[in-house]
Amino acid sequence: MTLKKLLISITALALTFNIQLAQAANPKVKLETSKGTMIIELYPDKAPKSVENFLAYVNAGAYDGTIFHRVIKDFMHQGGGFTPDFKKVETRQPIQNEADNGLKYTVAMARTGEPHSATNQFFINTADNAFLDYKSKSMRGWGYTVFGKVIEGQNIAGAISRVATGPGGPFAKDVPKVQIIINKMTEIKE
């Protein structure tokens, strides 16, 4: 083997190793639901406050036993904020919106009309909801902070998005007729 080929091989190996390290650096969460399991990869380099906040809830067990209380076909499903009897889950302080991070339409923080009001609720997009993306630092332009992506179990996300819905608890519509429970969420330690 020539020196040039050896250097090319070493460079290729180093690049592969660096890519694997970068991928391994992103934390992952196992989301076990009554419909099946999903794995969510988180992006702390793009949404550090949102990832820290989400992992604090995950590691405290705050999502365990909550429900997906809002499901809209070809749009998203939202959960983490209510128990099966529709009692609100206790929350931490709201976090700063990080929607200006360039990430698009996967796992995002839910919030009220106030851009910096996200606490514990999150949603999983089941379509490219570009109208939710960051546009500007204005009340109408902030968008919703994307902080992760479903990397395994997309079929489960799809199955959840197609359940029958109607009124339930305090909500007039979009509540799954058969509850979808978040049985357990755990950070995957590698």
Side-chain angles (χ1 to χ4, degrees), residues 38-51:
M38 292 175 266
I39 304 294
I40 300 171
E41 183 177 37
L42 308 177
Y43 302 113
D45 59 323
K46 297 285 189 176
K49 292 175 185 152
S50 299
V51 168

Side-chain angles (χ1 to χ4, degrees), residues 68-127:
F68 280 105
H69 66 277
R70 186 171 175 228
V71 174
I72 303 174
K73 186 178 180 183
D74 299 323
F75 178 40
M76 63 90 214
H77 45 278
Q78 180 176 339
F82 292 90
T83 62
D85 58 355
F86 295 99
K87 288 199 168 60
K88 285 187 99 173
V89 174
E90 190 174 320
T91 64
R92 299 160 34 109
Q93 289 297 310
I95 58 171
Q96 181 73 26
N97 191 313
E98 298 174 300
D100 58 345
N101 63 22
L103 295 175
K104 305 281 185 200
Y105 67 85
T106 46
V107 181
M109 294 304 301
R111 63 174 178 79
T112 66
E114 159 54 43
H116 309 290
S117 62
T119 56
N120 62 335
Q121 293 185 42
F122 64 96
F123 60 97
I124 298 173
N125 285 288
T126 54

Side-chain angles (χ1 to χ4, degrees), residues 23-24 26-33 35-43 54-55 58 68 77 106-107 122 124-125 147-158 160 184-190:
Q23 290 171 341
N26 288 333
K28 294 176 182 68
V29 169
K30 183 177 185 180
L31 168 55
E32 300 172 63
T33 76
K35 282 279 194 194
T37 299
M38 292 175 266
I39 304 294
I40 300 171
E41 183 177 37
L42 308 177
Y43 302 113
F54 184 71
L55 285 175
V58 167
F68 280 105
H77 45 278
T106 46
V107 181
F122 64 96
I124 298 173
N125 285 288
F147 65 95
K149 177 181 180 180
V150 176
I151 59 169
E152 289 180 35
Q154 291 91 340
N155 60 322
I156 303 303
I160 292 171
K184 187 160 189 62
M185 288 180 80
T186 51
E187 183 175 2
I188 298 170
K189 304 289 185 180
E190 294 186 38

